[in-house]
Amino acid sequence: MAVDSEKSGADGKAWSLCKMPFWQTSIASSSSSSTSVASASVSGQSQIHEAVERSSLHSSNAVSSMAKSLLPTRRRLRLDPPNKLFFPYEPGKQVRSAVGIKNICKSHVAFKFQTTAPKSCYMRPPGGILSPGESIIATVFKFVEPPENNEKLIDHRSKVKFKIMSLKVKGEMDYVPELFDEQRDQVAVEQILRVVFLDPERPTPAMEKLKRQLAEAEAALETRKKPPEDTGPRIVGGEGLVIDEWKERRERYLARQQQVEGVDSV
């Protein structure tokens, strides 16, 4: 009986050591491995998701910057004609063209001319500052070179170009060309104007419009040359009246002082 009990106790210990079957241990190990794999896959998916988000953000920024670069620049000035300068074709002479410039912004705008042929072309005015809604007609002068073999080139596009740049400024101020150098990052190219020659003997709408603009530019120039009208009292005259009145008061004061001194001496 004792032997049987010892056997049963030993068997119980053996069975107690083997309570968990081998398939349960394999299942537990497989579940733990699957859990680690799942966590690894989750972390990998999160990293992939973050990478995708970063790449999508970078691509969206690149697309937005590209879209901004493709969008047309918002104009500050309105030009008339918008992209050409018409000149009468007169070889060996200095001819004129005109372009209307209007500020279409809500702030003051400075403009400036540039040309690829500064030796044979110049502008009047070469630059300026326009208040909101203000407009001006600029005159462009150009010397027309005689063609080779005395050929007459009509409606010919010259290689000479003009560039009009703009810059927003704060309020009214005197125009100086150095403004565009000091604020170079704020300068915008409004338009590049190409030179087109017209036959002065053939009436065309472009030629008629050019003559009208040149006449308006000359009238505006004559108006600016005239001295301003005297609408108020003259400053010099006012100062003279004040000085004369002061002299009279001083003379009366001195006369009274002399009278008082005379009475005291008596």
Side-chain angles (χ1 to χ4, degrees):
M1 294 295 291
V3 173
D4 293 337
S5 63
E6 289 178 356
K7 287 183 179 180
S8 63
D11 293 339
K13 290 181 181 179
W15 280 108
S16 63
L17 294 174
C18 300
K19 283 182 179 179
M20 184 178 291
F22 67 92
W23 60 83
Q24 290 184 0
T25 58
S26 62
I27 291 173
S29 61
S30 63
S31 63
S32 62
S33 62
S34 62
T35 304
S36 61
V37 170
S39 61
S41 63
V42 169
S43 62
Q45 289 179 359
S46 63
Q47 292 177 359
I48 293 173
H49 184 65
E50 291 176 358
V52 169
E53 286 184 350
R54 287 196 298 269
S55 62
S56 63
L57 181 62
H58 179 70
S59 61
S60 63
N61 292 334
V63 170
S64 62
S65 62
M66 185 181 297
K68 288 181 180 178
S69 63
L70 294 176
L71 288 175
T73 306
R74 187 174 182 180
R75 302 297 181 187
R76 301 166 181 167
L77 303 174
R78 181 182 298 160
L79 306 180
D80 185 25
N83 54 7
K84 297 177 183 178
L85 278 177
F86 296 101
F87 287 90
Y89 186 74
E90 299 179 9
K93 295 182 180 180
Q94 188 183 64
V95 294
R96 297 180 301 164
S97 182
V99 56
I101 305 173
K102 183 177 182 180
N103 181 8
I104 57 176
C105 281
K106 296 181 180 180
S107 60
H108 288 68
V109 175
F111 69 92
K112 179 183 177 181
F113 274 98
Q114 281 188 348
T115 178
T116 57
K119 294 182 178 180
S120 62
C121 305
Y122 69 95
M123 292 68 66
R124 187 178 66 192
I129 296 178
L130 299 175
S131 59
E134 185 181 1
S135 60
I136 188 176
I137 297 179
T139 308
V140 185
F141 298 82
K142 174 178 171 53
F143 179 78
V144 182
E145 297 286 345
E148 297 180 358
N149 301 325
N150 294 324
E151 294 179 357
K152 194 172 183 180
L153 303 177
I154 299 300
D155 296 331
H156 173 67
R157 293 180 180 270
S158 174
K159 295 181 180 179
V160 179
K161 298 178 182 178
F162 294 85
K163 181 167 64 175
I164 298 182
M165 300 180 295
S166 67
L167 172 67
K168 286 186 177 182
V169 295
K170 296 180 180 180
E172 297 181 1
M173 62 176 64
D174 295 332
Y175 169 77
V176 289
E178 289 75 16
L179 286 173
F180 289 81
D181 297 331
E182 296 171 356
Q183 306 179 31
R184 190 172 301 175
D185 55 340
Q186 302 295 329
V187 175
V189 177
E190 289 292 330
Q191 189 59 264
I192 296 178
L193 305 174
R194 299 181 180 273
V195 174
V196 178
F197 290 114
L198 300 175
D199 187 357
E201 299 177 358
R202 185 177 64 182
T204 57
M207 195 67 195
E208 296 298 326
K209 183 177 181 179
L210 174 60
K211 292 180 179 179
R212 185 172 62 253
Q213 285 184 323
L214 289 174
E216 293 178 3
E218 288 295 330
L221 180 62
E222 292 297 329
T223 302
R224 289 195 299 268
K225 286 182 178 180
K226 291 181 180 180
E229 297 181 358
D230 186 9
T231 56
R234 296 180 63 185
I235 298 176
V236 176
E239 291 180 353
L241 292 176
V242 171
I243 293 174
D244 292 341
E245 185 179 357
W246 179 78
K247 287 182 178 180
E248 291 177 359
R249 289 183 179 181
R250 181 172 178 77
E251 289 176 357
R252 288 198 297 267
Y253 173 76
L254 293 175
R256 286 198 299 269
Q257 290 294 328
Q258 290 176 0
Q259 290 178 0
V260 171
E261 290 177 359
V263 172
D264 292 341
S265 62
V266 172

